[in-house]
Amino acid sequence: AEVHEAENGVVAVGDTVAVDSDGAVLVSDGPLIATIGARDLIVVSTPDVVLVVPRERAQEVKGLVELLRSRGRDELL
């Protein structure tokens, strides 16, 4: 998918629309991601899962993956 940078530092991949958003990273390999007023968020949409996390906490995704793995879930893998 094509990576493009919209206004206000929004980085978008896939089917996305960002309105009045700033510093967001939007990645869709599934349905449309539409944001209004998103500030410094990472939003990832795949056919199996939607992940929303503040950019400053992105390093915690690894812990979430481990939690899901311990519960027998593999969507983020």
Side-chain angles (χ1 to χ4, degrees):
E2 181 179 328
V3 177
H4 59 277
E5 187 163 348
E7 294 180 30
N8 297 323
V10 174
V11 176
V13 178
D15 196 6
T16 65
V17 175
V19 175
D20 189 29
S21 297
D22 184 31
V25 176
L26 311 175
V27 180
S28 179
D29 184 25
L32 167 69
I33 295 174
T35 63
I36 300 172
R39 302 277 180 260
D40 298 319
L41 286 179
I42 298 172
V43 182
V44 179
S45 175
T46 72
D48 295 330
V49 67
V50 175
L51 171 69
V52 179
V53 62
R55 285 178 74 153
E56 74 248 8
R57 297 184 68 181
Q59 71 280 0
E60 296 177 46
V61 171
K62 183 178 179 181
L64 177 61
V65 170
E66 292 302 319
L67 174 65
L68 291 173
R69 183 178 289 140
S70 74
R71 294 182 178 178
R73 307 293 302 254
D74 62 2
E75 286 88 350
L76 288 178
L77 303 179

